[in-house]
Amino acid sequence: MLVLTGRAWLFGDNISADDGIIQYSQVPDLGSFDIPALRAMCFATIRPEFRAGVQPGDFVVAGKNFGHHSHPHACVAMRECGVAACLVESTDSAFVRKALNAGLPIVVCPGITGLCADHQELRLDMAKGEVENPATGARLSFRPFAPQMIEVWQAGGLAAALQKRFSDRIAP
């Protein structure tokens, strides 16, 4: 499925992965992913209602410089809370890659924060490179995901995609 529909959770500019998405200094074990701990701290300092209100398939919609000081733990926290994708004004390419490796697509789409209101439904087409607000009919375009990126995303992350790719090549 290349088209996603979900509610938008709006965030502003300069949301840090370290002290915004999660509290990196409080991650119990940096060598692993403590899912309950990451889920509990996801956006806790900037939107405490997020954890109780987010639903599987929802989107994070954020402004410029999203996820700076990028760590994969922040990506895993959002994914494990049910976030289907992040649509942002800007972020660095390292954060996009770390998120995709964890199975969470981050879409850079200038103008996205003006497309919708908080909790408004959005429709995201990863292959066409289009996001739409069905309530208003407004649309924005972004660079579509390459087939290899879609493969990684649909597999649930890079490790799963590689495992699938190589298991298909190994004869029993």
Side-chain angles (χ1 to χ4, degrees):
M1 179 194 326
L2 300 177
V3 177
L4 304 173
T5 302
R7 293 181 312 152
W9 286 81
L10 265 60
F11 293 87
D13 294 338
N14 298 311
I15 303 297
S16 169
D18 281 1
D19 191 27
I21 299 172
I22 61 170
Q23 295 75 51
Y24 190 70
S25 64
Q26 296 176 23
V27 173
D29 179 6
L30 295 174
S32 68
F33 295 99
D34 182 334
I35 301 303
L38 291 173
R39 217 183 275 133
M41 66 175 66
C42 191
F43 294 113
T45 59
I46 55 177
R47 283 206 62 182
E49 76 280 10
F50 179 82
R51 293 169 293 147
V54 68
Q55 297 172 5
D58 284 354
F59 300 126
V60 166
V61 176
K64 296 175 183 169
N65 198 27
F66 181 73
H68 60 91
H69 301 113
S70 62
H71 295 286
H73 294 79
C75 306
V76 170
M78 289 185 287
R79 186 199 67 212
E80 289 297 324
C81 281
V83 173
C86 298
L87 297 96
V88 302
E89 298 279 346
S90 69
T91 189
D92 66 66
S93 59
F95 196 56
V96 171
R97 182 169 297 277
K98 288 173 188 175
L100 188 59
N101 288 348
L104 178 69
I106 295 184
V107 172
V108 176
C109 184
I112 190 63
T113 54
L115 187 72
C116 64
D118 204 32
H119 297 126
Q120 204 165 27
E121 185 177 281
L122 293 176
R123 184 179 166 278
L124 176 67
D125 189 322
M126 302 294 284
K128 281 176 67 177
E130 186 175 88
V131 60
E132 176 187 10
N133 180 329
T136 66
R139 295 174 188 224
L140 290 172
S141 295
F142 59 88
R143 176 186 259 171
F145 271 35
Q148 298 86 348
M149 294 172 75
I150 290 172
E151 178 186 356
V152 170
W153 164 56
Q154 289 183 321
L158 182 60
L162 290 172
Q163 183 177 19
K164 182 181 184 310
R165 183 180 290 177
F166 290 120
S167 70
D168 290 347
R169 294 182 184 176
I170 298 172

